[in-house]
């Protein structure tokens, strides 16, 4: 039994090569959609995931788990690292930086306000 999803033909259950090909196709489609201003990327990604979800409903639970493990793993493997926004940059401001800024503000206030008021 075969099934078609996004122009690709799949055996039921799909083979590893077919799942990898689907992940690559979805990644390519998403990359192309980025440059089209009329496409809302969130809706586009959700539509892709909905088609995959509907496709996997025909698989039993073990096959579905294996499918998603391979599909998601391949998408993660092919994902580009964003050099401008590395994951460790999301950690927030260090405690040292906060105290440094507070010390600078205190010095400015002392020399500008308090010292001139004491004259």
């Amino acid at each position: 039994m075969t099934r078609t999803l996004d122009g690709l033909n799949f055996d039921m259950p799909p083979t590893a090569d077919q799942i990898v090909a689907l992940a690559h196709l979805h990644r390519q489609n998403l990359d192309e959609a980025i440059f089209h201003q009329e496409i809302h990327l969130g809706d586009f990604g959700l539509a892709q995931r909905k088609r995959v979800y509907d496709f996997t409903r025909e698989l039993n639970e073990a096959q579905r788990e294996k499918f998603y493990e391979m599909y998601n793993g391949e998408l993660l493997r092919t994902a580009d690292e964003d050099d401008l926004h590395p994951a460790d940059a999301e950690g927030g401001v260090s405690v040292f930086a906060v105290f440094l800024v507070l010390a600078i503000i205190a010095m400015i206030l002392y020399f500008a306000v308090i010292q001139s008021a004491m004259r």
Side-chain angles (χ1 to χ4, degrees):
M1 181 164 110
T2 61
R3 175 101 195 277
T4 302
L5 174 64
D6 291 343
L8 298 175
N9 293 322
F10 291 90
D11 300 328
M12 292 308 276
T15 64
D17 291 337
Q18 292 169 335
I19 296 170
V20 168
L22 179 66
H24 284 270
L25 175 67
H26 282 176
R27 172 58 195 240
Q28 179 184 2
N29 290 346
L30 188 59
D31 286 344
E32 291 171 2
I34 289 172
F35 299 105
H36 296 305
Q37 292 181 351
E38 68 274 0
I39 296 176
H40 185 271
L41 289 178
D43 294 339
F44 184 81
L46 287 173
Q48 268 187 202
R49 292 300 263 192
K50 175 68 169 122
R51 289 191 304 273
V52 170
Y53 174 83
D54 291 342
F55 174 77
T56 60
R57 294 303 100 191
E58 297 180 18
L59 303 173
N60 66 39
E61 190 171 332
Q63 292 169 335
R64 190 177 312 136
E65 198 172 296
K66 180 182 173 193
F67 178 93
Y68 277 116
E69 182 180 311
M70 294 184 74
Y71 177 78
N72 292 334
E74 187 63 21
L75 287 176
L76 284 172
R77 191 185 71 72
T78 61
D80 294 333
E81 279 297 318
D82 187 1
D83 294 333
L84 298 176
H85 303 94
D88 59 340
E90 307 261 341
V93 180
S94 71
V95 175
F96 174 75
V98 171
F99 283 118
L100 181 65
V101 169
L102 288 175
I104 292 171
I105 292 171
M107 286 181 10
I108 292 171
L109 286 175
Y110 175 75
F111 287 111
V113 178
I114 297 174
Q115 199 173 39
S116 65
M118 295 181 78
R119 288 185 187 172

